[in-house]
Structure formats: structure tokens, C-alpha cells
Amino acid sequence: MTKAIKLLTALPQMQRERLMELAKEVSFPEDTRIFEAGGTADRFWVIRSGAVHLDQQVTPLRRVTVASLGAGDLLGWSWLFPPYQWDFGAEAFSQVRAYEFEAPPVLALCVEDPLLGLSLVRTVCEVLAHRLEMTRGKLLEQYSLPRRGTL
């Protein structure tokens, strides 16, 4: 499996610096719901410390963790794609410190600086591809059938 893509370190330094001008430092106490599936996706975060679980509501009383994120990871990508709604929920598994970015100013910066926009979209797509690969691996591991010739 490939190594996780870290948004800020994947961007070229000059573009990272421009993006960081829009960052706001935030924190979430342990067990805080950061967002819910179906809610309006108008921002994203880069986790500085702590852990966040992405989850999916599978029954009215049960959520299943689909991914765990930590330092350097991108939290939230739905702000980039219509209909701009969260696909999963997110909860702070521990005290979390993060950089928060509001989507409208980031999108305006991407229009102003198309190279930054292209780099950002490519990096977010790499993050998504990595997470899809990780999810695929988990599913294959969990639901794999015994190989022929084994009991």
C-alpha cells in the first residue's frame, strides 16, 4: 500500500504559503462531532494533532468507523465537489488541533492562482485515491474467501 498523502507537505512551498494565509487554528475536544453526513460542506481542515474518525451511519443507532485520520491528514473534501455535502460524519477521537480553511476564499484563491488550484485539486484527488485503496484493502481483508485448496 502507498504512503498517505499529506496535503500541506504535498503542495509546493510557495503555494503552501499562499494557502496557509487563509488558515485559522481551531481545536475540537474529544468526542466532538465535527460534521454530519449530508450537512453543508463549506470548509476543510488539516489535522495538526489528535485523531479523527470518519464514520457512516448504518442504522439509526449504529455508526461504523470507515477511516481514522491523524496529524497532517486532510479532513473534508466535499467542499470541492457539488452538491457540497459531507459524505461521512467526523468525530474527534481525542483532543484535536487543526488548521481550518473556509471553502469560498480557498476557491477564490484557486481562480486567482490556477497553478495553486491545479496543485490543490491534484493533491486532494491523490488523498481520495489513497483512501479508496485503503478502504478496498480493508474490504478485501474482511470479506475475502478462503483460497482454493485451503479449509
Side-chain angles (χ1 to χ4, degrees), residues 54 69 73-75 77 127-135:
L54 296 179
L69 308 177
D73 286 333
L74 170 68
L75 172 59
W77 51 265
V127 168
L128 293 176
H130 172 75
R131 290 192 188 158
L132 182 59
E133 180 183 328
M134 297 295 291
T135 301

Side-chain angles (χ1 to χ4, degrees), residues 19-133:
L19 182 63
M20 287 305 295
E21 291 173 6
L22 302 176
K24 173 181 148 186
E25 291 187 31
V26 297
S27 64
F28 301 102
E30 182 177 352
D31 297 328
T32 299
R33 291 297 295 171
I34 300 170
F35 55 82
E36 293 289 350
T40 301
D42 60 356
R43 64 196 65 238
F44 66 96
W45 300 264
V46 174
I47 300 170
R48 297 175 57 211
S49 65
V52 173
H53 287 179
L54 296 179
D55 57 43
Q56 183 67 56
Q57 190 86 38
V58 292
T59 70
L61 300 174
R62 184 166 180 241
R63 297 178 199 268
V64 173
T65 298
V66 296
S68 296
L69 308 177
D73 286 333
L74 170 68
L75 172 59
W77 51 265
S78 299
W79 61 276
L80 195 51
F81 306 102
Y84 309 108
Q85 293 180 324
W86 301 118
D87 287 315
F88 301 100
E91 185 169 332
F93 184 68
S94 64
Q95 171 75 24
V96 173
R97 293 178 33 213
Y99 293 117
E100 181 179 83
F101 298 87
E102 292 183 17
V106 172
L107 293 170
L109 180 60
C110 291
V111 169
E112 177 187 317
D113 183 346
L115 289 177
L116 186 149
L118 180 60
S119 292
L120 184 61
V121 168
R122 279 185 173 166
T123 303
V124 169
C125 287
E126 287 179 31
V127 168
L128 293 176
H130 172 75
R131 290 192 188 158
L132 182 59
E133 180 183 328

Side-chain angles (χ1 to χ4, degrees), residues 144-151:
S144 65
L145 297 173
R147 294 184 181 158
R148 289 181 189 213
T150 62
L151 297 177

